[in-house]
Amino acid sequence: MSEVNMPKLSDTMEEGTVIEWKKKSGDAVKKGDVLAEVESDKASFELEADAEGVLSIVVEAGKPVPVGDLIANIGRAGEAPSPPKTKAEAKAEPRKEARKEATAEPAAAAEPATEAEGADQSPAPAESPASAGEGARIKASPIAARLAAEMGVNLAQLKGSGPEGRIVKEDVLAAGRQTGAPGRPPPRGAASRSGPEVEHEELTRTQTIVARRMVESKTTVPHFYLTTEVRMDEAVRVQKQLRETVAGAAKLTISDLVMRASAMALRLHPEVNASWGGDHIEVKRRINIGFAVAQPKGLVVPVLKDVDAKDLVQISIESHQLIERARAGKPSPADLEGGTFSISNLGMFGITDFAAVVNLPEAAILAVGAVTDRPVVEAGQVVPGKTMQLTLSVDHRVLYGANGAQFLADVRRLLENPVSLVLPPE
């Protein structure tokens, strides 16, 4: 009998949820078969079988499970499955056996149930179990299923736009607009409205955890902010030239230049590449830069590893691969681990400046605004120029104003003199 336990899919994951079982109890599975889609605190991942046999599901979809707890068994046909076992019980077993050997007394009473076991308030499954005919299963988010029921929309007739064809709220609303289905408020500006004045949208597990961590960061981390303006004329010229002349640089972005400049500045200021350890500061040797990416399920932060050892073309290619996997909802666990510094760029949305929230446990995050055409003073004359705002949010427990200012000044210097960014890493 092989146990399938809730895997630890990220360095901060404490519990996970099976969004959907891809196999059902009694199915024969082979090593490498996808058993389920599991949602961690950062994204969803496919869980593969590491043994061959017959699957016996222990935990139903939609129920949060602590990392390491049993969710299924894979055994031989007819073999009785193992009962569910929590991490506390698993750790207690060796101690119980030791007590049995040492004395002839009966085994100690069972460990008390964990909060996850005792509570009978598990959230609804992330997909509706509605069927579409002979044995088929419609994949739909809970809110999409509820909206469809309210509006009288047949889910079986919809084509989902979510990951792997999952039907999401927007698909149901679009179908309702096309068919004139009742039960939802008309578009804004309409003469009359029907239905509830307030709609409640369920949060995904990822959104819930992100919200909790943002509150934790803003309430426990003493933030301070530093802003500088960067002349980007040369950087934009170099970007354009590289895209036109260098193989592999066709998708080179300003974000790639900022990432390269940040990695080089972190080498010069290793104290920024650090985190708060409670009673000490942890300075990281590797420079792994995370960058915020929006996706249908919320915000994820894929991490590009060892950025200081990569040239601009490598950074461009690898970061775009990470972004594509994240937006498709299919990042690997390794994509989201090990960050030491983060960048958030809203310039593509026309945002000129903003302050980001420190991404725990890191000590700093760099917010990048849009490159804009502005009048600037040069040699006493007002001339047209391209500028960009950078704002560094900093954990004051790890860094002081001078540390952050010196780091940000070097990022600005490197972007304003981008020839050094083009040179191969040392």
Side-chain angles (χ1 to χ4, degrees):
M1 178 72 65
S2 175
E3 294 185 350
V4 181
N5 299 315
M6 177 59 68
K8 188 174 180 65
L9 298 170
S10 72
D11 47 4
T12 56
M13 179 176 171
E14 297 178 356
E15 62 180 19
T17 303
V18 175
I19 299 174
E20 179 192 7
W21 284 104
K22 303 292 186 180
K23 303 284 187 179
K24 59 182 182 295
S25 287
D27 283 354
V29 298
K30 296 179 180 179
K31 189 173 182 179
D33 283 355
V34 176
L35 300 178
E37 184 178 359
V38 176
E39 186 176 52
S40 75
D41 58 338
K42 296 182 177 179
S44 60
F45 306 96
E46 290 182 341
L47 176 63
E48 296 182 354
D50 59 4
E52 183 174 337
V54 176
L55 180 67
S56 176
I57 294 173
V58 173
V59 176
E60 63 188 26
K63 182 178 180 180
V65 178
V67 168
D69 276 13
L70 184 72
I71 59 174
N73 289 293
I74 299 175
R76 297 185 297 274
E79 186 178 7
S82 301
K85 188 185 301 179
T86 67
K87 286 192 296 183
E89 291 171 332
K91 290 178 180 177
E93 281 186 357
R95 296 195 297 270
K96 291 180 182 178
E97 291 300 323
R99 288 198 298 270
K100 286 180 181 179
E101 292 176 4
T103 70
E105 296 177 2
E111 301 261 345
T114 64
E115 182 180 351
E117 290 178 292
D120 189 20
Q121 299 176 349
S122 57
E127 292 181 359
S128 166
S131 61
E134 197 69 29
R137 178 184 175 89
I138 297 173
K139 295 197 291 186
S141 68
I143 191 170
R146 192 189 74 233
L147 284 174
E150 292 177 3
M151 300 173 67
V153 173
N154 187 350
L155 289 174
Q157 297 178 351
L158 301 188
K159 183 178 181 181
S161 61
E164 295 186 343
R166 182 175 300 141
I167 298 170
V168 296
K169 180 184 74 171
E170 289 73 16
D171 301 323
V172 178
L173 293 176
R177 287 193 293 268
Q178 291 175 358
T179 61
R184 304 303 298 169
R188 291 180 182 176
S192 63
R193 293 177 182 269
S194 61
E197 292 186 3
V198 178
E199 295 182 26
H200 295 269
E201 296 188 3
E202 293 90 346
L203 296 176
T204 66
R205 180 156 187 76
T206 301
Q207 289 172 319
T208 301
I209 293 174
V210 168
R212 188 183 73 214
R213 286 190 172 158
M214 291 300 99
V215 172
E216 181 185 358
S217 180
K218 286 295 288 184
T219 56
T220 65
V221 174
H223 284 61
F224 73 88
Y225 308 94
L226 302 168
T227 300
T228 191
E229 186 173 75
V230 185
R231 283 292 300 271
M232 292 295 290
D233 305 78
E234 280 300 301
V236 170
R237 183 186 65 78
V238 167
Q239 178 208 13
K240 182 175 184 295
Q241 187 176 22
L242 291 174
R243 292 180 71 156
E244 293 173 349
T245 60
V246 176
K251 295 183 178 180
L252 183 72
T253 65
I254 294 298
S255 291
D256 299 328
L257 294 171
V258 173
M259 188 172 291
R260 174 81 173 120
S262 298
M264 294 176 69
L266 287 169
R267 265 196 177 183
L268 297 173
H269 303 277
E271 69 276 7
V272 181
N273 197 54
S275 62
W276 177 251
D279 58 358
H280 62 280
I281 294 173
E282 299 176 357
V283 179
K284 311 300 173 64
R285 291 184 177 180
R286 298 178 68 183
I287 295 176
N288 302 333
I289 298 180
F291 44 98
V293 175
Q295 57 157 219
K297 292 183 180 179
L299 187 72
V300 294
V301 185
V303 178
L304 187 61
K305 308 295 197 303
D306 302 314
V307 185
D308 57 319
K310 293 177 168 63
D311 60 31
L312 267 176
V313 174
Q314 286 177 288
I315 290 172
S316 178
I317 292 173
E318 293 182 25
S319 63
H320 278 82
Q321 291 171 344
L322 285 170
I323 290 171
E324 288 173 5
R325 291 198 293 271
R327 286 179 176 165
K330 294 297 179 184
S332 70
D335 288 348
L336 306 178
E337 292 181 342
T340 61
F341 181 83
S342 291
I343 294 173
S344 180
N345 188 347
L346 294 178
M348 67 286 292
F349 300 111
I351 302 301
T352 54
D353 63 278
F354 67 103
V357 179
V358 169
N359 184 23
L360 291 175
E362 298 162 16
I365 182 171
L366 184 66
V368 183
V371 176
T372 59
D373 292 313
R374 294 183 57 188
V376 297
V377 177
E378 196 172 87
Q381 301 292 320
V382 177
V383 298
K386 295 183 181 297
T387 66
M388 180 177 72
Q389 298 281 101
L390 297 178
T391 298
L392 187 70
S393 303
V394 183
D395 184 343
H396 213 329
R397 298 171 301 179
V398 181
L399 298 168
Y400 298 101
N403 306 117
Q406 290 164 358
F407 168 79
L408 198 56
D410 276 325
V411 174
R412 183 183 67 235
R413 173 182 58 81
L414 290 163
L415 287 169
E416 290 182 342
N417 301 276
V419 172
S420 56
L421 302 180
V422 182
L423 298 175
E426 298 177 359

